[in-house]
Amino acid sequence: MQKLFYIGLFLLIGITNLWAQSADIGIKNTLAAGEVTLVEANKIVLQTKDGTIEVLLSAKTEYKRIPPENPTLPAAIASSFSEIGVGDKLLVSGKVSDDKKTISSKTVYLLTKSDIAQKQSKEREAWKTRGITGQIKLVNPITKEITVSVRSIAGSKDVVVSPKENAKILRYAPDSVDYNEAATSAFGEIKVGDSLRALGDKNEDGTTFKAEKLVTGSFQTIAGTIKSIDTQKNEITITNLQTKKDITIAVGKNSILKQFPAEMAQRMAQFQLAQASGIQPGGQGGGTRPPQGNAPGGQGGGGFRGGGGSIDDMLERFPNITVADLKVGEIIAASSTKSANTERITAIKLLSGVEPFLKTPPTSAGGRRNGQGGQDSGFSIPGLEGTEFP
């Protein structure tokens, strides 16, 4: 019993990013982990993966708070019932009732909502300033090097990524690009065509990158004409432009829905076409230049940057939309994780206003252009890389 308790506790307080894994604890004989939904004088209600459970409190209940700056067991400090609020995360030790409806608490370990937000904000900033994202072109299992194509508005650049000693390697969960939900992985699971995001240090010219954290995933991009919309279910049925078959796109709570500004989409599509035709940005004869920052989220035309990538910054500033804003007959594109189900996906990102990118001719050798995650989609839409910041 003691071993089980410390395993659960380690998952909770190792680092905040592993909270989603600790949530797998759910309700055990002597443990319950979840999010606070109600706080009353003598009890707390937790929502766990196994359902709702009431945490029964007494004068003997001990409260411990995990500080965000050092989320480890030795760093736990004394806390009190008054610090607990709705939205906080708790791991409770004690005796769970036979029906798993209540737990008589012995110790309550607390990660407050504000502490989690503070730590995630710092981590997000670190990934923006010390992170790269791209698509894997080559994996060398002998040298442990990964060649990644890193895209910016101005084009793409190959970067050789090498994991540092004891680097943390994760893989995105199905239908999710939430770093908190990523599972522990290994170098052998990294595949050509995967999307990769790495945190670490680059060399001066940005051609090599030493990674302390890597997270990979296999994604696809699908585009089509909207056939029907169900606002109650948050689902859209489209006719896939490649297969000509219908596919249902489900929009979940973590799905990102954006409108690509018309003028910017047109300019970026023209820039893609110019690149495919061998016209260099700013080259002789008044070559095509990358889109500038006039549209929402537009960035200057500089090349590779060591931060999170201007395409991510650009997408973040696009107008938000909902399923209700879409119209039958409109063309949209969505990214998702790859699965065996070809009739239904859950959108990670969904973009409207993408018609200009679908009208440009194929560009890669063999007459087609690779989509995200290695999918042979015949088009390339900035912003649908499949990954996002933690």
Side-chain angles (χ1 to χ4, degrees), residues 247-307:
I247 183 169
T248 298
I249 302 174
V251 175
K253 63 177 182 179
N254 295 322
S255 300
I256 298 171
L257 279 68
K258 295 283 186 175
Q259 167 71 39
F260 216 119
E263 182 183 352
M264 186 173 219
Q266 188 64 45
R267 287 189 289 127
M268 292 190 73
Q270 290 173 350
F271 178 65
Q272 283 186 350
L273 179 59
Q275 282 188 309
S277 302
I279 302 175
Q280 297 300 316
Q284 292 182 350
T288 302
R289 293 186 177 275
Q292 301 298 312
N294 297 326
Q299 300 289 330
F304 170 78
R305 298 190 302 135

Short mmCIF file of all heavy atoms in Angstrom, two decimals, residues 247-307:
data_model
loop_
_atom_site.label_atom_id
_atom_site.label_comp_id
_atom_site.label_asym_id
_atom_site.label_seq_id
_atom_site.Cartn_x
_atom_site.Cartn_y
_atom_site.Cartn_z
N ILE A 247 -16.07 12.58 -44.75
CA ILE A 247 -15.40 12.34 -43.47
C ILE A 247 -15.96 13.32 -42.45
O ILE A 247 -16.22 14.48 -42.76
CB ILE A 247 -13.86 12.49 -43.60
CG1 ILE A 247 -13.19 12.17 -42.26
CG2 ILE A 247 -13.47 13.87 -44.10
CD1 ILE A 247 -11.68 12.03 -42.37
N THR A 248 -16.19 12.83 -41.24
CA THR A 248 -16.74 13.67 -40.17
C THR A 248 -15.59 14.21 -39.32
O THR A 248 -14.73 13.46 -38.88
CB THR A 248 -17.70 12.87 -39.29
OG1 THR A 248 -18.80 12.43 -40.09
CG2 THR A 248 -18.24 13.74 -38.16
N ILE A 249 -15.62 15.52 -39.09
CA ILE A 249 -14.63 16.16 -38.25
C ILE A 249 -15.30 16.55 -36.94
O ILE A 249 -16.22 17.37 -36.93
CB ILE A 249 -14.04 17.42 -38.92
CG1 ILE A 249 -13.40 17.06 -40.27
CG2 ILE A 249 -13.01 18.09 -38.01
CD1 ILE A 249 -12.93 18.27 -41.05
N ALA A 250 -14.86 15.94 -35.85
CA ALA A 250 -15.39 16.28 -34.53
C ALA A 250 -14.52 17.38 -33.93
O ALA A 250 -13.29 17.34 -34.00
CB ALA A 250 -15.38 15.05 -33.63
N VAL A 251 -15.17 18.37 -33.34
CA VAL A 251 -14.47 19.48 -32.68
C VAL A 251 -14.57 19.28 -31.18
O VAL A 251 -15.66 19.29 -30.61
CB VAL A 251 -15.07 20.84 -33.10
CG1 VAL A 251 -14.41 21.97 -32.30
CG2 VAL A 251 -14.89 21.06 -34.60
N GLY A 252 -13.43 19.03 -30.54
CA GLY A 252 -13.40 18.81 -29.10
C GLY A 252 -13.08 20.07 -28.33
O GLY A 252 -12.87 21.13 -28.90
N LYS A 253 -13.01 19.93 -27.01
CA LYS A 253 -12.77 21.10 -26.16
C LYS A 253 -11.38 21.69 -26.37
O LYS A 253 -11.18 22.88 -26.11
CB LYS A 253 -12.96 20.73 -24.69
CG LYS A 253 -11.97 19.69 -24.17
CD LYS A 253 -12.18 19.42 -22.70
CE LYS A 253 -11.16 18.42 -22.16
NZ LYS A 253 -11.34 18.16 -20.70
N ASN A 254 -10.43 20.88 -26.85
CA ASN A 254 -9.07 21.38 -27.07
C ASN A 254 -8.79 21.72 -28.52
O ASN A 254 -7.67 22.11 -28.86
CB ASN A 254 -8.06 20.34 -26.58
CG ASN A 254 -8.12 20.12 -25.08
OD1 ASN A 254 -8.32 21.06 -24.32
ND2 ASN A 254 -7.96 18.88 -24.65
N SER A 255 -9.78 21.57 -29.40
CA SER A 255 -9.58 21.90 -30.81
C SER A 255 -9.41 23.40 -30.98
O SER A 255 -10.05 24.21 -30.30
CB SER A 255 -10.77 21.43 -31.65
OG SER A 255 -10.95 20.03 -31.56
N ILE A 256 -8.53 23.77 -31.91
CA ILE A 256 -8.27 25.19 -32.22
C ILE A 256 -8.92 25.50 -33.55
O ILE A 256 -8.60 24.87 -34.57
CB ILE A 256 -6.75 25.46 -32.27
CG1 ILE A 256 -6.11 25.17 -30.92
CG2 ILE A 256 -6.47 26.89 -32.70
CD1 ILE A 256 -4.60 25.21 -30.93
N LEU A 257 -9.83 26.46 -33.57
CA LEU A 257 -10.52 26.86 -34.80
C LEU A 257 -10.16 28.30 -35.13
O LEU A 257 -10.35 29.21 -34.32
CB LEU A 257 -12.04 26.74 -34.63
CG LEU A 257 -12.66 25.34 -34.82
CD1 LEU A 257 -12.23 24.40 -33.70
CD2 LEU A 257 -14.18 25.43 -34.88
N LYS A 258 -9.64 28.52 -36.34
CA LYS A 258 -9.17 29.84 -36.75
C LYS A 258 -9.62 30.16 -38.18
O LYS A 258 -9.83 29.27 -39.00
CB LYS A 258 -7.64 29.90 -36.69
CG LYS A 258 -7.05 29.78 -35.28
CD LYS A 258 -7.19 31.06 -34.48
CE LYS A 258 -6.46 30.97 -33.16
NZ LYS A 258 -6.49 32.27 -32.42
N GLN A 259 -9.71 31.46 -38.45
CA GLN A 259 -10.01 31.95 -39.79
C GLN A 259 -8.73 32.53 -40.39
O GLN A 259 -8.12 33.42 -39.81
CB GLN A 259 -11.08 33.04 -39.74
CG GLN A 259 -11.27 33.83 -41.03
CD GLN A 259 -11.91 33.03 -42.13
OE1 GLN A 259 -12.83 32.25 -41.86
NE2 GLN A 259 -11.46 33.22 -43.35
N PHE A 260 -8.30 31.99 -41.54
CA PHE A 260 -7.12 32.50 -42.22
C PHE A 260 -7.54 33.79 -42.93
O PHE A 260 -8.40 33.78 -43.79
CB PHE A 260 -6.60 31.49 -43.24
CG PHE A 260 -5.11 31.46 -43.37
CD1 PHE A 260 -4.40 30.31 -43.09
CD2 PHE A 260 -4.42 32.59 -43.76
CE1 PHE A 260 -3.02 30.27 -43.20
CE2 PHE A 260 -3.04 32.58 -43.88
CZ PHE A 260 -2.32 31.41 -43.60
N PRO A 261 -6.94 34.94 -42.58
CA PRO A 261 -7.30 36.20 -43.25
C PRO A 261 -7.09 36.08 -44.75
O PRO A 261 -6.05 35.58 -45.22
CB PRO A 261 -6.33 37.22 -42.63
CG PRO A 261 -6.00 36.65 -41.28
CD PRO A 261 -5.95 35.17 -41.49
N ALA A 262 -8.07 36.55 -45.52
CA ALA A 262 -8.09 36.32 -46.97
C ALA A 262 -6.86 36.87 -47.67
O ALA A 262 -6.23 36.18 -48.48
CB ALA A 262 -9.37 36.93 -47.55
N GLU A 263 -6.50 38.12 -47.38
CA GLU A 263 -5.38 38.73 -48.08
C GLU A 263 -4.07 38.00 -47.77
O GLU A 263 -3.25 37.76 -48.65
CB GLU A 263 -5.26 40.20 -47.68
CG GLU A 263 -4.13 40.94 -48.40
CD GLU A 263 -3.98 42.38 -47.94
OE1 GLU A 263 -4.86 42.85 -47.18
OE2 GLU A 263 -2.99 43.02 -48.34
N MET A 264 -3.90 37.64 -46.51
CA MET A 264 -2.67 36.96 -46.12
C MET A 264 -2.60 35.56 -46.75
O MET A 264 -1.53 35.12 -47.20
CB MET A 264 -2.59 36.85 -44.61
CG MET A 264 -1.27 36.28 -44.12
SD MET A 264 -1.11 36.35 -42.34
CE MET A 264 0.61 36.79 -42.20
N ALA A 265 -3.73 34.85 -46.78
CA ALA A 265 -3.74 33.53 -47.40
C ALA A 265 -3.33 33.62 -48.86
O ALA A 265 -2.56 32.79 -49.36
CB ALA A 265 -5.13 32.90 -47.26
N GLN A 266 -3.85 34.63 -49.56
CA GLN A 266 -3.53 34.79 -50.97
C GLN A 266 -2.05 35.07 -51.17
O GLN A 266 -1.39 34.47 -52.03
CB GLN A 266 -4.36 35.94 -51.56
CG GLN A 266 -4.25 36.07 -53.07
CD GLN A 266 -4.81 34.85 -53.80
OE1 GLN A 266 -5.88 34.36 -53.46
NE2 GLN A 266 -4.08 34.35 -54.79
N ARG A 267 -1.48 35.95 -50.34
CA ARG A 267 -0.07 36.30 -50.48
C ARG A 267 0.85 35.12 -50.14
O ARG A 267 1.86 34.89 -50.80
CB ARG A 267 0.26 37.51 -49.60
CG ARG A 267 -0.30 38.82 -50.14
CD ARG A 267 0.20 40.01 -49.39
NE ARG A 267 -0.38 40.08 -48.05
CZ ARG A 267 0.33 40.17 -46.94
NH1 ARG A 267 1.64 40.20 -46.98
NH2 ARG A 267 -0.27 40.26 -45.76
N MET A 268 0.49 34.38 -49.10
CA MET A 268 1.32 33.25 -48.70
C MET A 268 1.24 32.12 -49.73
O MET A 268 2.24 31.45 -50.00
CB MET A 268 0.90 32.75 -47.32
CG MET A 268 1.22 33.74 -46.20
SD MET A 268 0.99 33.04 -44.56
CE MET A 268 2.40 31.94 -44.47
N ALA A 269 0.07 31.92 -50.32
CA ALA A 269 -0.06 30.90 -51.36
C ALA A 269 0.78 31.27 -52.58
O ALA A 269 1.42 30.42 -53.20
CB ALA A 269 -1.53 30.73 -51.74
N GLN A 270 0.79 32.56 -52.93
CA GLN A 270 1.60 33.02 -54.05
C GLN A 270 3.08 32.84 -53.75
O GLN A 270 3.87 32.47 -54.63
CB GLN A 270 1.29 34.49 -54.33
CG GLN A 270 -0.09 34.71 -54.92
CD GLN A 270 -0.44 36.19 -55.05
OE1 GLN A 270 0.27 37.06 -54.54
NE2 GLN A 270 -1.54 36.48 -55.74
N PHE A 271 3.46 33.07 -52.50
CA PHE A 271 4.85 32.90 -52.10
C PHE A 271 5.26 31.43 -52.19
O PHE A 271 6.35 31.10 -52.66
CB PHE A 271 5.05 33.43 -50.68
CG PHE A 271 6.45 33.27 -50.16
CD1 PHE A 271 7.51 33.94 -50.76
CD2 PHE A 271 6.71 32.45 -49.07
CE1 PHE A 271 8.81 33.79 -50.28
CE2 PHE A 271 8.00 32.29 -48.60
CZ PHE A 271 9.06 32.96 -49.20
N GLN A 272 4.38 30.54 -51.76
CA GLN A 272 4.65 29.10 -51.88
C GLN A 272 4.87 28.71 -53.34
O GLN A 272 5.78 27.95 -53.68
CB GLN A 272 3.50 28.29 -51.30
CG GLN A 272 3.46 28.21 -49.79
CD GLN A 272 2.37 27.27 -49.31
OE1 GLN A 272 1.55 26.80 -50.10
NE2 GLN A 272 2.36 26.98 -48.03
N LEU A 273 4.01 29.24 -54.21
CA LEU A 273 4.10 28.93 -55.63
C LEU A 273 5.41 29.44 -56.21
O LEU A 273 6.07 28.76 -57.01
CB LEU A 273 2.92 29.54 -56.38
CG LEU A 273 2.87 29.31 -57.90
CD1 LEU A 273 2.86 27.82 -58.20
CD2 LEU A 273 1.65 29.99 -58.50
N ALA A 274 5.83 30.63 -55.79
CA ALA A 274 7.09 31.20 -56.27
C ALA A 274 8.27 30.34 -55.83
O ALA A 274 9.19 30.08 -56.62
CB ALA A 274 7.25 32.63 -55.75
N GLN A 275 8.24 29.89 -54.58
CA GLN A 275 9.31 29.02 -54.09
C GLN A 275 9.37 27.72 -54.89
O GLN A 275 10.44 27.23 -55.24
CB GLN A 275 9.08 28.70 -52.62
CG GLN A 275 9.48 29.81 -51.66
CD GLN A 275 9.41 29.34 -50.22
OE1 GLN A 275 8.41 28.80 -49.80
NE2 GLN A 275 10.48 29.54 -49.49
N ALA A 276 8.18 27.16 -55.16
CA ALA A 276 8.13 25.90 -55.89
C ALA A 276 8.64 26.05 -57.32
O ALA A 276 9.14 25.11 -57.93
CB ALA A 276 6.70 25.37 -55.92
N SER A 277 8.54 27.29 -57.84
CA SER A 277 8.99 27.56 -59.21
C SER A 277 10.46 27.93 -59.26
O SER A 277 10.99 28.24 -60.33
CB SER A 277 8.16 28.69 -59.82
OG SER A 277 6.78 28.35 -59.81
N GLY A 278 11.11 27.93 -58.08
CA GLY A 278 12.53 28.23 -58.03
C GLY A 278 12.86 29.69 -57.92
O GLY A 278 14.02 30.10 -58.09
N ILE A 279 11.87 30.53 -57.64
CA ILE A 279 12.10 31.96 -57.47
C ILE A 279 12.51 32.22 -56.03
O ILE A 279 11.75 31.89 -55.10
CB ILE A 279 10.85 32.79 -57.82
CG1 ILE A 279 10.42 32.50 -59.27
CG2 ILE A 279 11.10 34.27 -57.60
CD1 ILE A 279 9.12 33.17 -59.65
N GLN A 280 13.67 32.76 -55.82
CA GLN A 280 14.16 33.01 -54.48
C GLN A 280 13.60 34.32 -53.95
O GLN A 280 13.49 35.31 -54.69
CB GLN A 280 15.70 33.08 -54.46
CG GLN A 280 16.36 31.78 -54.87
CD GLN A 280 15.97 30.64 -53.94
OE1 GLN A 280 15.94 30.81 -52.73
NE2 GLN A 280 15.67 29.49 -54.52
N PRO A 281 13.25 34.39 -52.65
CA PRO A 281 12.75 35.62 -52.06
C PRO A 281 13.75 36.75 -52.26
O PRO A 281 14.92 36.63 -51.91
CB PRO A 281 12.60 35.27 -50.57
CG PRO A 281 12.45 33.79 -50.56
CD PRO A 281 13.30 33.29 -51.69
N GLY A 282 13.26 37.85 -52.85
CA GLY A 282 14.11 39.02 -53.01
C GLY A 282 15.18 38.84 -54.07
O GLY A 282 16.15 39.59 -54.12
N GLY A 283 15.04 37.81 -54.94
CA GLY A 283 16.06 37.54 -55.94
C GLY A 283 16.01 38.50 -57.10
O GLY A 283 15.27 39.48 -57.12
N GLN A 284 16.82 38.25 -58.14
CA GLN A 284 16.86 39.13 -59.29
C GLN A 284 15.51 39.13 -60.00
O GLN A 284 14.77 38.18 -59.98
CB GLN A 284 17.95 38.65 -60.26
CG GLN A 284 19.35 38.82 -59.69
CD GLN A 284 20.41 38.40 -60.69
OE1 GLN A 284 20.09 37.80 -61.72
NE2 GLN A 284 21.66 38.70 -60.39
N GLY A 285 15.27 40.28 -60.61
CA GLY A 285 14.01 40.41 -61.33
C GLY A 285 12.85 40.67 -60.40
O GLY A 285 11.70 40.43 -60.74
N GLY A 286 13.15 41.23 -59.21
CA GLY A 286 12.07 41.57 -58.28
C GLY A 286 11.39 40.34 -57.75
O GLY A 286 10.17 40.24 -57.74
N GLY A 287 12.17 39.36 -57.33
CA GLY A 287 11.62 38.08 -56.86
C GLY A 287 10.57 38.26 -55.79
O GLY A 287 10.50 39.27 -55.10
N THR A 288 9.73 37.25 -55.63
CA THR A 288 8.66 37.28 -54.65
C THR A 288 9.23 37.30 -53.24
O THR A 288 10.10 36.52 -52.89
CB THR A 288 7.77 36.05 -54.81
OG1 THR A 288 7.26 36.03 -56.13
CG2 THR A 288 6.61 36.10 -53.83
N ARG A 289 8.71 38.19 -52.42
CA ARG A 289 9.15 38.28 -51.03
C ARG A 289 8.13 37.62 -50.12
O ARG A 289 6.95 37.56 -50.44
CB ARG A 289 9.32 39.75 -50.61
CG ARG A 289 10.47 40.44 -51.32
CD ARG A 289 10.69 41.85 -50.77
NE ARG A 289 11.81 42.48 -51.40
CZ ARG A 289 13.08 42.32 -51.02
NH1 ARG A 289 13.35 41.52 -50.01
NH2 ARG A 289 14.06 42.92 -51.64
N PRO A 290 8.60 37.13 -48.96
CA PRO A 290 7.65 36.52 -48.03
C PRO A 290 6.66 37.53 -47.51
O PRO A 290 6.95 38.72 -47.48
CB PRO A 290 8.55 35.98 -46.90
CG PRO A 290 9.88 36.60 -47.10
CD PRO A 290 9.97 37.12 -48.47
N PRO A 291 5.47 37.10 -47.13
CA PRO A 291 4.46 38.01 -46.61
C PRO A 291 4.99 38.78 -45.41
O PRO A 291 5.66 38.24 -44.56
CB PRO A 291 3.31 37.07 -46.21
CG PRO A 291 3.54 35.84 -47.01
CD PRO A 291 5.01 35.72 -47.15
N GLN A 292 4.65 40.05 -45.36
CA GLN A 292 5.06 40.89 -44.25
C GLN A 292 3.96 40.96 -43.20
O GLN A 292 2.90 40.38 -43.35
CB GLN A 292 5.42 42.30 -44.77
CG GLN A 292 6.53 42.27 -45.80
CD GLN A 292 7.83 41.72 -45.24
OE1 GLN A 292 8.28 42.12 -44.17
NE2 GLN A 292 8.45 40.79 -45.96
N GLY A 293 4.20 41.71 -42.16
CA GLY A 293 3.32 41.66 -41.00
C GLY A 293 2.14 42.60 -41.02
O GLY A 293 1.86 43.25 -40.03
N ASN A 294 1.43 42.72 -42.16
CA ASN A 294 0.28 43.61 -42.20
C ASN A 294 -1.00 42.94 -41.74
O ASN A 294 -1.86 43.55 -41.12
CB ASN A 294 0.08 44.13 -43.63
CG ASN A 294 1.25 44.96 -44.10
OD1 ASN A 294 1.87 45.66 -43.29
ND2 ASN A 294 1.57 44.90 -45.38
N ALA A 295 -1.12 41.66 -42.05
CA ALA A 295 -2.30 40.92 -41.63
C ALA A 295 -2.13 40.46 -40.20
O ALA A 295 -1.05 40.52 -39.64
CB ALA A 295 -2.51 39.72 -42.56
N PRO A 296 -3.22 40.04 -39.55
CA PRO A 296 -3.11 39.58 -38.16
C PRO A 296 -2.04 38.51 -38.02
O PRO A 296 -2.06 37.52 -38.72
CB PRO A 296 -4.51 39.01 -37.86
CG PRO A 296 -5.40 39.71 -38.82
CD PRO A 296 -4.59 39.95 -40.05
N GLY A 297 -1.13 38.73 -37.11
CA GLY A 297 -0.11 37.74 -36.84
C GLY A 297 1.00 37.71 -37.87
O GLY A 297 1.91 36.90 -37.79
N GLY A 298 0.96 38.61 -38.87
CA GLY A 298 2.00 38.61 -39.88
C GLY A 298 3.34 38.94 -39.28
O GLY A 298 3.47 39.81 -38.44
N GLN A 299 4.40 38.28 -39.73
CA GLN A 299 5.74 38.50 -39.24
C GLN A 299 6.60 38.99 -40.37
O GLN A 299 6.27 38.87 -41.55
CB GLN A 299 6.33 37.19 -38.67
CG GLN A 299 5.53 36.61 -37.53
CD GLN A 299 5.64 37.44 -36.27
OE1 GLN A 299 6.64 38.08 -36.03
NE2 GLN A 299 4.60 37.45 -35.48
N GLY A 300 7.73 39.56 -40.04
CA GLY A 300 8.69 39.94 -41.05
C GLY A 300 9.19 38.71 -41.78
O GLY A 300 8.98 37.59 -41.37
N GLY A 301 9.91 38.95 -42.85
CA GLY A 301 10.31 37.85 -43.70
C GLY A 301 11.62 37.21 -43.33
O GLY A 301 12.23 36.56 -44.15
N GLY A 302 12.08 37.39 -42.10
CA GLY A 302 13.35 36.79 -41.71
C GLY A 302 13.31 35.29 -41.79
O GLY A 302 12.27 34.67 -41.80
N GLY A 303 14.49 34.68 -41.85
CA GLY A 303 14.57 33.24 -41.97
C GLY A 303 14.36 32.54 -40.64
O GLY A 303 13.59 33.00 -39.80
N PHE A 304 15.08 31.44 -40.44
CA PHE A 304 14.91 30.62 -39.25
C PHE A 304 15.17 31.41 -37.98
O PHE A 304 16.13 32.15 -37.87
CB PHE A 304 15.89 29.44 -39.32
CG PHE A 304 15.96 28.67 -38.04
CD1 PHE A 304 14.97 27.77 -37.69
CD2 PHE A 304 17.02 28.86 -37.17
CE1 PHE A 304 15.05 27.06 -36.51
CE2 PHE A 304 17.10 28.14 -35.99
CZ PHE A 304 16.11 27.26 -35.66
N ARG A 305 14.28 31.24 -37.01
CA ARG A 305 14.46 31.85 -35.70
C ARG A 305 14.50 30.74 -34.67
O ARG A 305 13.82 29.74 -34.79
CB ARG A 305 13.30 32.80 -35.37
CG ARG A 305 13.20 33.97 -36.34
CD ARG A 305 12.22 34.99 -35.83
NE ARG A 305 10.90 34.40 -35.64
CZ ARG A 305 10.15 34.61 -34.56
NH1 ARG A 305 10.60 35.34 -33.58
NH2 ARG A 305 8.97 34.07 -34.46
N GLY A 306 15.25 30.97 -33.60
CA GLY A 306 15.43 29.93 -32.60
C GLY A 306 14.22 29.74 -31.72
O GLY A 306 14.14 28.80 -30.95
N GLY A 307 13.23 30.64 -31.80
CA GLY A 307 12.06 30.51 -30.96
C GLY A 307 11.09 29.50 -31.51
O GLY A 307 11.42 28.63 -32.30
#
